[in-house]
Amino acid sequence: NSAHECRTDADAAPRPMTSVRIEEDHAAGERERDALLACLREYNHRFMPRSEPAPLCLFLRDRHGAMLGGLLAETRWHWMFVEALWVSDPLRRRGHGSALLAHAEGIAWHRGARKATRDTAEFQARGFYLRHGYSVFAVQEDLPPDSRRYFMEKTLQAPVR
């Protein structure tokens, strides 16, 4: 048996805690991390529909191709999950972030997403997302320290043509 094999069979005899050990591994590689996540996904798929994430990557570039901003997200289960939105300092407050978000929401809508979600730290962009129709559904205190993390969502609308 491989050390990376998922043990998910319900008929396997329970093992006493004395026959297993907890091992801390600071050198765990990407392969081991991917294997653990694959086992978790295998378990989850017993209870929810399979849905492969579809990456959504948008970039602001200058005429030379240098990246000046962008948005990273994925769509699945009728949701858009925004991972990152960044615009370089000289271009902020000029509508580029709004344009990136609107463009991503339009793509997500056409992929079947009807909701979007994002989390953001207090010092980041809570006001930006509120202005774009997102609402806060949860707040985590002291993350990062002496700050807050806001969990936000939005019901998407069909893009205007």
Side-chain angles (χ1 to χ4, degrees):
N1 284 345
S2 164
H4 301 295
E5 182 179 312
C6 299
R7 289 297 311 248
T8 59
D9 50 333
D11 296 326
R15 296 179 182 187
M17 282 301 293
T18 56
S19 69
V20 297
R21 69 182 189 279
I22 295 174
E23 180 180 280
E24 182 177 10
D25 186 353
H26 295 287
E30 197 72 25
R31 194 168 121 193
E32 288 174 305
R33 293 170 50 84
D34 288 346
L36 185 134
L37 293 172
C39 291
L40 177 61
R41 280 190 296 276
E42 184 178 313
Y43 172 83
N44 290 346
H45 290 316
R46 289 192 259 157
F47 304 97
M48 54 196 244
R50 288 185 183 270
S51 179
E52 291 301 316
L56 198 166
C57 305
L58 303 174
F59 298 97
L60 284 177
R61 297 194 186 275
D62 69 12
R63 62 185 173 162
H64 304 291
M67 183 175 36
L68 302 173
L71 181 145
L72 301 177
E74 66 182 31
T75 56
R76 67 156 91 187
W77 299 308
H78 308 294
W79 281 81
M80 175 176 73
F81 298 84
V82 179
E83 179 182 348
L85 192 162
W86 171 78
V87 176
S88 66
D89 286 345
L91 295 180
R92 289 182 185 218
R93 303 204 187 312
R94 296 185 182 184
H96 298 295
S98 297
L100 284 165
L101 187 59
H103 195 81
E105 289 174 353
I107 292 170
W109 175 272
H110 288 294
R111 290 182 180 182
R114 296 301 178 258
K115 291 215 170 211
T117 187
R118 173 72 168 125
D119 65 276
T120 187
E122 188 169 42
F123 63 87
Q124 290 175 321
R126 181 176 62 110
F128 171 83
Y129 289 103
L130 289 171
R131 285 190 303 279
H132 289 87
Y134 286 72
S135 60
V136 174
F137 67 86
V139 179
Q140 191 168 22
E141 298 292 334
D142 207 34
L143 182 68
D146 300 320
S147 189
R148 292 179 184 90
R149 179 160 297 280
Y150 295 92
F151 295 85
M152 308 179 84
E153 67 181 4
K154 175 183 181 175
T155 299
L156 299 177
Q157 304 296 318
V160 178
R161 295 191 185 241

